[in-house]
Amino acid sequence: MMAYIHPASPNCVAVRAAAGELGIKLETEIVDLFGQANLEPSFLALNPNGLVPVLEDEGFVLWETTAILQYLAARRDPTILLPREERARADVTRWQVWAVAHWQPALQTFIFENLFKRLRGLGGPDPRVIEGAQPRLVKFAAILETVLTKREWICGDQPTLADLTVGAYLVYAEPADIPLSDYTHLLKWWSRLRRRPAWVAAESDIPRFDA
């Protein structure tokens, strides 16, 4: 099974962490995003969106991180990260969709303004953009904080794909100076997640940036 990835991609961290949790061996091929290898015809033939990650399994090609994560988890029975029971499975999927639709966009503004603009030579963060992004971050961080006051993991007493999806973009929380210090339970959950061996291994290749 081959995964086309880039070390700086949070979504690729989630996919690699899931494979580690599930005991699935992934061969990996790094796609040089900075060199625009993702726009080459050979890669666009795999994913017309020109994005990573992409999974290839015996001729079956799959893109979109949520689909890849669920495909990997479904290969284990009983599954570790994606419950078979209908309502429990729907709960995990609900949080994955929430992360993509709400949580990740709330974090992306800070990641771009506080980190990637500097790295790309685009100047410093725009205070008006940061100020405008604060209410959305507060809203969704508070939702997570409330859930995590009741349990150690988002969907219960063990980690699931929900935790991997929600946690992915937090790999840049510190270098992007995302203001999360008020959310004690969220930060404790994040600490638990990133101490798991599979996550440590998946996160190990991310470029390190000075805050």
Side-chain angles (χ1 to χ4, degrees):
M1 194 180 302
M2 171 69 72
Y4 297 86
I5 66 167
H6 190 277
S9 164
N11 288 328
C12 292
V13 172
V15 167
R16 294 177 65 197
E21 293 279 0
L22 295 162
I24 294 175
K25 180 174 175 54
L26 281 183
E27 301 294 332
T28 58
E29 181 173 321
I30 294 178
V31 180
D32 182 8
L33 301 182
F34 301 120
Q36 296 192 320
N38 55 310
L39 302 181
E40 294 291 334
S42 58
F43 185 78
L44 291 174
L46 294 172
N47 183 358
N49 300 294
L51 300 171
V52 292
V54 177
L55 186 73
E56 188 171 13
D57 184 21
E58 297 182 347
F60 174 61
V61 178
L62 187 63
W63 34 268
E64 295 299 334
T65 304
T66 300
I68 292 171
L69 290 171
Q70 293 206 4
Y71 180 79
L72 291 174
R75 296 177 66 86
R76 287 291 180 263
D77 189 13
T79 186
I80 300 170
L81 299 177
L82 188 61
R84 298 291 183 190
E85 194 277 320
E86 182 177 343
R87 292 183 178 181
R89 187 185 186 100
D91 189 30
V92 171
T93 301
R94 178 247 305 275
W95 281 102
Q96 289 189 276
V97 173
W98 177 86
V100 174
H102 303 296
W103 178 239
Q104 292 175 2
L107 301 182
Q108 283 170 339
T109 300
F110 293 90
I111 294 169
F112 179 74
E113 289 291 329
N114 291 338
L115 179 60
F116 283 179
K117 281 180 71 173
R118 171 169 55 85
L119 295 174
R120 296 174 183 174
L122 300 175
D126 185 330
R128 292 173 300 177
V129 174
I130 293 295
E131 183 179 0
Q134 289 281 356
R136 182 167 59 172
L137 177 68
V138 168
K139 175 181 178 179
F140 297 119
I143 290 172
L144 267 183
E145 178 74 5
T146 299
V147 168
L148 292 165
T149 60
K150 304 171 185 176
R151 45 187 180 258
E152 289 197 346
W153 302 101
I154 291 173
C155 292
D157 59 2
Q158 68 178 27
T160 66
L161 295 182
D163 299 281
L164 302 185
T165 305
V166 173
Y169 278 74
L170 289 175
V171 297
Y172 287 122
E174 293 179 11
D177 195 26
I178 300 175
L180 295 172
S181 59
D182 291 340
Y183 306 100
T184 305
H185 293 89
L186 190 161
L187 291 176
K188 287 181 178 178
W189 158 82
W190 170 231
S191 179
R192 284 192 294 274
L193 179 63
R194 73 185 317 192
R195 288 198 306 267
R196 294 182 69 83
W199 191 277
V200 171
E203 195 180 337
S204 63
D205 294 331
I206 291 182
R208 298 301 174 189
F209 308 104
D210 295 330

